[in-house]
Structure formats: structure tokens, C-alpha cells
């Protein structure tokens, strides 16, 4: 298969490549080499966050890849996220001012002048959510971020922005895969022209976050389902001559979502971007639509879109 890429149009003519390289659980010291490898393999979209503690390594990886491949900064779409602070976890929520400072600190670690997309990582800061959003609007006005969005926000969180008369997010990054399809939220986002970025697309795999310490709310039953040799994803993947991971990622892009596969393995990094040489047929898409199990499992504290 040949590496082809597709984009999603955000407002203001900004093009977001549909396949991004995810970096959660990649240590700072490993991020440089893995991000470099990913860009070499054809990724033009990299997803990091203040909370991942790896922005320095991610920035070094981008720098090394640009130098090696002779491509310009404008050809790479970089997303980072504000860690909002959560009072319920004893943290101080970020204010308008500390949000502005957080982006400055992220840019310094990344060694970049701007990021392409800045997201509020989760709707945790109830009392400061709107102030954080106003700070993102200001950062966009200053040209330090090209597009702004949210992550793990539900309909009510976005309605809060609407009710305040503020511009709506360009994108919402949420957990989406066949076991967590969130049909109501997806249709709300589509109606409001908010681009959808899917994370943790590979949850149903038996190899998903198996390293000790990579905690999530994936249940023992789900782990067992993922190793079943009759797993419906395995059967479908064989039919299309692709891996189960490619099948799961293709489901996301076929639904119109951007996807963010993370891997620390060179072969998987290359494989996870090869998604545009096959198509899941209508019958299989319908079968997958019946597999929804509800809430996401990527966060050990539960699906953050359930926050009030
Ligand atoms: P993914 O769905 O990308 O799955 C990663 C896991 O699957 C790892 O254990 C990886 O192992 C394994 N894997 C990767 N490729 C393959 C393959 N081809 N075959 C078999 N196993 C494979 O999980 P994430 O939870 O990391 O989500 C992706 C990205 O989304 C994150 O890295 C982050 O950027 C973003 N994210 C955002 C969140 C948010 O709240 N906004 C929350 C969670 C994620 P190995 O590395 O050994 O290959």
C-alpha cells in the first residue's frame, strides 16, 4: 500500500491531516526519536499535551525531521493541550492569565513560535472553563495558535460556550472506537461544524496499553474479548488484507474523524498510517455500528465527557 493522506478542513482554511501521531505515554527521552521516525514515515500531524510531559522531546523530534527531510514548519500540524486543573483532584484550576502562560511555556518546550491547534484537555475546571476558553480566543488573535478547540467536552460544555456568545471550538478530541461510539455527541458536533478527532482508536486490541503502569478503565472482560481468535475485527481485517489496528483506524477515518495512533514500534508506526488503500464495506460498517458499549475506557478515572 502507498502512503496517501487526507485532510479535514477547519475554519479559516486550516487543513488538519486525518492521521496524527499520538504521543501519550511516550517518555520525554523517547519522544524525539519516535516523532522523528513518524514524520519520516509520512505523518504530518503530531498530538501532544502539557500533561504528557514530553513536549520537549516532541519539539526536538519535529526539528530533527524538518532538518533531515527538508520540509518546512508549515507542513507539520502540531497540537498541544492546556492541562486545565481539576478542583475535585485537589488542583488549582488554570485562570485566564495562567492559561496564557501555559501556552507560552508549551511553545518554549516545543521550541515553536505557534501551534496549529490548542485544546483545553478536559472540562474539569468548572469555575474557570469559560475563562480558559476566552484565553484560547486571545491566543488565536495573537497568532500563537492557528485553531482552537476542546477535548472531552460534551454537549452541555459546548452549550455553555454558546450561551456566553463566544465562538465555538474548531475541534473536539474525544475517545471514539467501535466500543465507544457516542452517537448523540457525534451528531451534535457535526451539526455545529466542530471537527471530530478520535483518540484511543485501538482500545479493542489485545495489545492496547499492555505495559505495566499504562492504566485505564478497560475491564478484564474487554481484555478477554480482545484476544478472542474470532474477534469480529480480526475476521474483518483478514477480509481486507490489513491488520486489526488498520481496520480500527480506518473505521475512524471512514466516519470522518481524524485519528491519532500512538506506537513506540517502528513497524506499527509505518502500518498505522496506511489507511487509504482500502474501504470497509457498508455491511461491515453496519455490523460495527451494533458493537457500541457506551462510555470510553482510556482514562482510569472514567470517561471525562461524563463530567458536569
Ligand atoms: P492508541 O489507540 O493509539 O493505542 C496505543 C496502544 O496500541 C499501545 O499500547 C500500542 O503499543 C498499541 N498499538 C499501536 N499500534 C498497534 C498496531 N499496529 N498493532 C498492535 N498494537 C498497536 O492509544 P492512545 O490511548 O495512546 O491514544 C492515541 C493518542 O490519542 C494518544 O497518544 C494521545 O495523543 C491521544 N489521547 C488523547 C486523550 C485526551 O484525553 N485528549 C486521551 C488518550 C489519548 P506500542 O506502543 O507498543 O506499539
Amino acid at each position: 500500500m502507498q502512503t496517501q493522506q487526507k485532510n479535514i478542513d477547519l475554519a479559516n482554511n486550516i487543513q488538519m491531516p486525518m492521521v496524527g501521531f499520538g504521543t501519550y505515554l511516550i517518555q520525554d527521552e523517547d519522544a524525539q526519536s519516535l516523532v522523528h521516525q513518524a514524520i519520516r514515515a509520512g505523518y504530518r500531524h503530531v498530538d501532544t499535551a502539557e500533561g504528557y510531559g514530553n513536549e520537549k522531546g516532541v519539539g526536538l523530534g519535529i526539528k530533527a525531521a524538518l532538518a533531515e527531510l527538508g520540509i518546512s514548519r508549515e507542513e507539520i500540524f502540531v497540537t498541544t493541550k492546556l492541562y486545565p486543573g481539576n478542583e475535585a483532584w485537589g488542583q488549582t484550576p488554570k485562570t485566564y492569565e495562567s492559561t496564557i502562560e501555559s501556552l507560552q511555556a508549551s511553545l518554549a518546550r516545543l521550541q515553536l513560535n505557534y501551534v496549529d491547534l490548542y485544546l483545553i484537555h478536559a472540562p474539569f475546571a468548572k469555575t474557570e472553563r469559560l475563562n480558559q476558553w476566552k484565553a484560547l480566543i486571545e491566543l488565536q488573535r495573537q497568532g500563537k495558535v492557528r485553531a482552537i478547540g476542546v477535548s472531552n467536552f460534551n454537549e452541555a460544555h459546548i452549550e455553555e460556550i454558546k450561551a456566553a456568545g463566544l465562538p465555538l471550538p474548531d475541534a473536539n478530541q474525544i475517545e471514539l472506537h467501535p466500543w465507544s461510539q457516542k452517537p448523540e455527541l457525534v451528531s451534535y458536533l457535526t451539526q455545529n461544524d466542530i471537527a471530530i478527532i478520535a483518540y484511543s482508536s485501538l482500545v479493542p486490541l489485545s495489545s492496547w496499553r499492555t505495559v505495566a503502569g499504562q492504566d485505564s478503565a478497560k475491564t478484564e472482560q474487554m481484555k478477554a474479548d480482545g484476544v478472542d481468535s474470532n474477534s469480529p475485527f480480526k475476521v474483518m481485517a483478514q477480509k481486507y488484507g490489513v491488520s486489526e489496528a488498520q481496520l480500527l483506524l480506518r473505521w475512524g477515518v471512514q466516519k470522518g474523524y481524524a485519528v491519532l495512533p500512538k506506537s513506540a514500534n517502528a513497524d506499527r508506526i509505518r502500518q498505522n498510517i496506511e489507511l487509504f488503500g482500502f474501504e470497509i464495506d457498508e455491511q461491515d460498517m453496519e455490523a460495527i455500528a451494533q458493537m457500541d458499549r457506551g462510555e470510553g475506557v482510556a482514562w482510569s478515572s472514567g470517561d471525562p465527557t461524563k463530567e458536569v
Side-chain angles (χ1 to χ4, degrees), residues 24-297:
Y24 178 50
L25 295 172
I26 294 179
Q27 300 299 309
D28 202 23
E29 55 273 26
D30 301 326
Q32 175 174 352
S33 144
L34 290 170
V35 167
H36 189 165
Q37 278 181 52
I39 297 174
R40 205 185 268 149
Y43 291 75
R44 292 293 178 267
H45 172 172
V46 180
D47 182 83
T48 182
E50 179 185 2
Y52 300 170
N54 62 15
E55 288 173 311
K56 198 160 167 266
V58 167
L60 289 171
I62 293 171
K63 206 175 181 180
L66 296 188
E68 185 202 46
L69 301 171
I71 51 180
S72 65
R73 163 69 185 90
E74 290 69 38
E75 290 175 68
I76 310 280
F77 187 97
V78 183
T79 300
T80 195
K81 315 185 191 84
L82 170 80
Y83 186 73
N86 187 345
E87 277 164 313
W89 296 346
Q91 300 162 346
T92 309
K94 298 259 174 71
T95 59
Y96 178 93
E97 288 77 18
S98 53
T99 296
I100 303 271
E101 285 162 15
S102 287
L103 185 268
Q104 287 298 141
S106 284
L107 290 179
R109 284 188 293 268
L110 286 160
Q111 294 190 55
L112 296 175
N113 300 325
Y114 69 91
V115 288
D116 296 277
L117 179 61
Y118 195 41
L119 306 176
I120 300 177
H121 206 143
F124 292 150
K126 290 182 191 45
T127 55
E128 292 293 336
R129 238 169 4 220
L130 280 179
N131 287 331
Q132 293 175 354
W133 183 244
K134 287 177 188 165
L136 263 60
I137 295 168
E138 172 58 17
L139 288 165
Q140 186 182 34
R141 195 194 62 75
Q142 292 176 10
K144 292 184 176 145
V145 307
R146 292 177 74 218
I148 53 177
V150 293
S151 177
N152 299 303
F153 274 42
N154 65 27
E155 294 90 324
H157 303 133
I158 296 169
E159 285 295 312
E160 186 178 79
I161 293 175
K162 214 186 251 185
L166 297 169
L168 291 186
D170 293 315
N172 189 11
Q173 185 180 121
I174 53 178
E175 182 175 342
L176 284 172
H177 46 75
W179 289 351
S180 184
Q181 303 193 27
K182 302 184 171 71
E184 289 88 13
L185 180 53
V186 162
S187 83
Y188 172 86
L189 294 171
T190 307
Q191 277 159 26
N192 284 281
D193 239 348
I194 298 172
I196 300 171
I197 305 170
Y199 72 70
S200 299
S201 299
L202 303 180
V203 160
L205 293 185
S206 56
S207 53
W208 184 80
R209 292 202 203 164
T210 45
V211 174
Q214 299 191 343
D215 294 341
S216 75
K218 191 171 174 181
T219 61
E220 292 309 312
Q221 177 58 51
M222 284 179 168
K223 286 177 193 162
D225 291 353
V227 291
D228 183 347
S229 59
N230 297 318
S231 149
F233 307 116
K234 191 167 275 179
V235 174
M236 284 182 199
Q238 277 163 0
K239 169 171 158 187
Y240 300 105
V242 295
S243 71
E244 275 182 271
Q246 288 171 311
L247 190 276
L248 290 165
L249 292 163
R250 174 70 206 189
W251 175 82
V253 298
Q254 213 164 301
K255 296 285 282 183
Y257 315 147
V259 292
L260 304 170
K262 171 265 169 185
S263 180
N265 171 295
D267 288 339
R268 290 171 173 179
I269 289 175
R270 281 194 293 273
Q271 171 198 128
N272 292 344
I273 197 176
E274 301 291 352
L275 307 178
F276 299 101
F278 71 104
E279 192 171 347
I280 305 172
D281 66 29
E282 222 171 283
Q283 199 186 342
D284 288 339
M285 287 302 277
E286 274 165 30
I288 295 174
Q290 306 307 313
M291 296 179 194
D292 192 10
R293 299 178 180 195
E295 293 183 18
V297 299

